[in-house]
Amino acid sequence: MASLLSTKLAILLLFVCLVSDSFVSANFYNDFDITWGDGRGKILDNGNLLTLSLDKSSGSGFESRNEYLFGKIDMQLKLVPGNSAGTVTAYYLSSKGTKWDEIDFEFLGNLSGDPYILHTNVFTQGKGNREQQFYLWFDPTADFHTYSILWNPQLILFSVDGIPIREFKNTESKGVPFPNNQPMRIHSSLWNADDWATRGGLVKTDWSQAPFIASYRNFNAQACVAKPGSPSSCGGSGSTASWWSEVVDSSKQERLKWVQKNYMVYNYCSDSKRFPQGYPPECNMG
């Protein structure tokens, strides 16, 4: 056990925390690579806009060049308009390996006039099954909106246009794993998932509407950037960035409750059929 702990510590000490509290809208040419799609992903407007496209042959995707170990990540998205049934636009943080960590936004398309479903999940050590789903209080295809992940040692907070929609607290002291030692890249993809995405797979993708296009702009990361080969670890008591110690204060708590009361459409913590032997432990912690 001591050997395993020392190995983990040695791995952590290979990373350095570069923290910034300033808002600097990044350039997609510098910060991301389009990783698949055979030309369906495009960086436009001198690096200020990125688009992903899906047709019957393929979707597309991109990932960040940097890996992050804690941070506040913002991205503005404009989702596939019109009949987007069967399509999924995924925007998430993920590490590597068989015991990976992951923090997910997934936008499940729908028929014209029916609302998108915003699907969220948190994976720790390769295990997810922590789904919460929401409708949005606006049309996410009409304009760009900001989708944010705050990830610090205390919590993971999902927000939309600055309004918190979901909190996943660090309750590791009570036996619930929390992602805190695996650096993650930002990923996004647009793909066909008509076997499950819309009404459980009953509504299929209408390929006559292709190509389907999602757009991205104004990426910002106030974050610990993991750099291999550094003698320093990421974060710690020396970190002065406001996001590092941010918690859900009373004002945010009220807005969180408003969203969950009015717009939440699924919560794993209230699905008794799924968990007949009892809910996961984090569901019973305030």
Side-chain angles (χ1 to χ4, degrees):
M1 176 62 76
S3 174
L4 178 61
L5 289 174
S6 62
T7 301
K8 287 185 175 180
L9 180 60
I11 292 171
L12 275 178
L13 291 177
L14 290 175
F15 300 99
V16 63
C17 182
L18 304 176
V19 180
S20 170
D21 248 345
S22 60
F23 185 94
V24 179
S25 185
N27 186 290
F28 284 108
Y29 281 123
N30 298 333
D31 294 284
F32 291 90
D33 291 312
I34 294 173
T35 49
W36 63 285
D38 195 23
R40 290 172 178 81
K42 294 182 171 64
I43 298 175
L44 307 167
D45 188 23
N46 298 315
N48 294 313
L49 178 70
L50 189 152
T51 62
L52 295 180
S53 177
L54 165 68
D55 58 37
K56 197 168 186 177
S57 298
S58 177
S60 49
F62 65 87
E63 71 175 21
S64 63
R65 293 182 177 176
N66 286 329
E67 291 182 296
Y68 303 96
L69 185 60
F70 301 122
K72 185 176 186 295
I73 309 295
D74 303 313
M75 184 82 80
Q76 291 193 328
L77 280 74
K78 183 163 71 171
L79 300 179
V80 173
N83 181 2
S84 58
T87 71
V88 172
T89 306
Y91 159 55
Y92 59 102
L93 289 164
S94 182
S95 63
K96 299 175 181 177
T98 57
K99 296 207 176 267
W100 78 99
D101 295 333
E102 187 170 318
I103 305 169
D104 288 347
F105 278 115
E106 290 188 325
F107 303 89
L108 313 185
N110 215 331
L111 295 167
S112 298
D114 290 341
Y116 263 82
I117 289 177
L118 171 50
H119 174 101
T120 66
N121 206 347
V122 176
F123 286 75
T124 54
Q125 300 175 16
K127 182 180 180 298
N129 300 323
R130 299 184 177 100
E131 300 90 347
Q132 290 184 357
Q133 296 181 339
F134 305 84
Y135 288 144
L136 294 165
W137 48 96
F138 53 83
D139 178 358
T141 72
D143 203 350
F144 286 90
H145 292 269
T146 303
Y147 302 90
S148 305
I149 295 169
L150 169 65
W151 170 37
N152 67 25
Q154 292 78 239
L155 55 79
I156 295 165
L157 188 67
F158 298 78
S159 299
V160 178
D161 288 339
I163 298 174
I165 65 168
R166 176 178 185 178
E167 178 186 19
F168 184 81
K169 294 180 180 178
N170 184 347
T171 53
E172 204 168 32
S173 63
K174 298 178 182 178
V176 180
F178 186 83
N180 58 18
N181 61 12
Q182 296 191 73
M184 297 196 256
R185 292 188 194 276
I186 300 164
H187 300 261
S188 191
S189 57
L190 173 58
W191 50 291
N192 177 45
D194 66 4
D195 56 334
W196 65 272
T198 306
R199 298 182 189 172
L202 293 176
V203 182
K204 301 300 182 183
T205 304
D206 180 1
W207 293 113
S208 70
Q209 304 296 312
F212 303 98
I213 296 174
S215 303
Y216 303 75
R217 72 180 188 190
N218 288 347
F219 163 71
N220 181 56
Q222 302 171 57
C224 297
V225 179
K227 294 288 187 183
S230 166
S232 301
S233 63
C234 184
S237 59
S239 180
T240 58
S242 60
W243 60 261
W244 179 261
S245 56
E246 187 172 332
V247 295
V248 178
D249 59 21
S250 58
S251 173
K252 289 191 179 77
Q253 192 66 45
E254 287 303 310
R255 287 181 286 172
L256 181 64
K257 288 178 180 177
W258 173 78
V259 171
Q260 295 192 344
K261 178 182 177 182
N262 294 288
Y263 295 98
M264 180 183 280
V265 294
Y266 177 80
N267 182 5
Y268 76 109
C269 282
S270 58
D271 191 343
S272 57
K273 291 183 179 178
R274 184 176 176 188
F275 301 105
Q277 305 304 317
Y279 295 118
E282 66 269 18
C283 296
N284 302 312
M285 299 176 188

